[in-house]
Amino acid sequence: MKLFRPLQHCWRMEQAGSGKHLLILGAGGGVGAAIVEQALAAGHRVRALEREWKSPPAGVEAVEADAMAGDLTPHVEGVDAVLSGLGLGLSLQTIFDPPELYTRSTRALLDAMRATGCRRLIVISAAFVDTDPPGPAWFHLSAGQALKAVFAQMAEMEQMLEGAGDIDWTAVRPAWLLDAPASGDYRVQADTLPDQCFRTRTGDLADFMLKLAVEGGWERQRPAIARREPGEAERPTALIDDLKALMG
């Protein structure tokens, strides 16, 4: 039987100068922005990467780069850990011909990390990449089918990481994402979702990824993270609302 690993919601640097220097990719997105906010609040130095910044958050070193093209070495240079908040939103392109965001960005990051000597990498995968994923049938017949190509790409990314024995990577596997602040009582276990847990708050995902970067743990593993949410957040109507929002 698998054990849950409860984690605390937040922490603070006890001594001045004890913070980490972090590179956060996709820093303007939902999860990336949450990581940035929590990292700054905890006293860390943040290098925030986006393809194009319109209004970067205060207190960060904002850099612009295409994570799927070019050399990321200058942006990885000097950091203690890399956290990728990159992700694909649902669109017609994502359904039929998703860009190779996960595989190409991970390949570029691995090359840059080897060139600079940075070893710690945390990326976002999904709990639904396995051939027999958890969750209700209605979810897999709808969103699961729509995102089938994306989940296949995530699986390829995980295989790429498994071959990177020189990098201390963690591929975090959230469930169906819920745009909500950190709860402080999420649950984590290896590979597959905890029982009766089907949703993952963006704030909780950010909290866990930041904890991995600062305190370590789950190196070369695929921890799944989720929690129970109120009934209305786990019903098909909530998925319909999410799909409408994502499709604009």
Side-chain angles (χ1 to χ4, degrees):
M1 187 173 101
K2 293 182 178 178
L3 300 176
F4 300 129
R5 186 177 180 181
L7 299 169
Q8 294 182 350
H9 167 50
C10 62
W11 58 96
R12 291 291 183 271
M13 298 295 102
E14 295 182 356
Q15 297 179 354
S18 60
K20 297 286 187 178
H21 190 188
L22 307 173
L23 171 63
I24 302 172
L25 284 77
V31 177
I35 300 173
V36 169
E37 181 180 3
Q38 293 180 21
L40 290 175
H44 302 294
R45 294 172 57 198
V46 174
R47 182 176 295 164
L49 186 147
E50 271 289 343
R51 184 172 183 175
E52 182 178 353
W53 277 112
K54 293 183 179 179
S55 181
V60 306
E61 176 192 352
V63 295
E64 294 184 348
D66 184 350
M68 294 196 299
D71 183 9
L72 296 179
T73 302
H75 307 301
V76 175
E77 184 70 51
V79 302
D80 299 305
V82 177
L83 302 90
S84 176
L86 295 171
L88 292 172
L90 186 60
S91 65
L92 290 178
Q93 181 184 9
T94 302
I95 295 173
F96 296 107
D97 186 24
E100 297 176 347
L101 176 64
Y102 298 98
T103 51
R104 290 177 63 181
S105 64
T106 299
R107 186 176 297 111
L109 282 172
L110 291 176
D111 289 344
M113 294 177 74
R114 286 168 175 143
T116 61
C118 179
R119 292 181 57 89
R120 191 65 173 117
L121 172 63
I122 300 104
V123 303
I124 300 173
S125 184
F128 310 113
V129 301
D130 288 335
T131 55
D132 186 22
W138 59 262
F139 180 85
H140 299 300
L141 292 173
S142 53
Q145 287 299 311
L147 295 173
K148 186 175 181 179
V150 174
F151 294 150
Q153 189 184 145
M154 288 177 168
E156 184 179 350
M157 174 190 69
E158 288 188 358
Q159 292 177 351
M160 187 185 306
L161 291 170
E162 288 171 1
D166 55 335
I167 301 296
D168 294 330
W169 58 268
T170 304
V172 182
R173 290 180 158 191
W176 172 18
L177 288 177
L178 176 65
D179 187 13
S183 67
D185 64 356
Y186 55 87
R187 305 172 76 182
V188 179
Q189 71 176 28
D191 299 324
T192 191
L193 294 175
D195 291 341
Q196 307 299 314
C197 295
F198 182 52
R199 300 217 64 173
T200 305
R201 295 186 176 210
T202 52
D204 286 340
L205 180 55
D207 181 84
F208 181 53
M209 292 176 69
L210 184 57
K211 186 177 181 69
L212 292 175
V214 174
E215 299 185 356
W218 295 97
E219 287 84 357
R220 300 186 183 88
Q221 297 185 69
R222 302 170 300 178
I225 170 176
R227 76 187 294 269
R228 288 297 303 270
E229 293 289 345
E232 60 271 15
E234 298 184 348
R235 292 172 182 162
T237 51
L239 176 60
I240 293 172
D241 291 340
D242 282 0
L243 294 177
K244 287 180 178 178
L246 288 169
M247 296 294 283

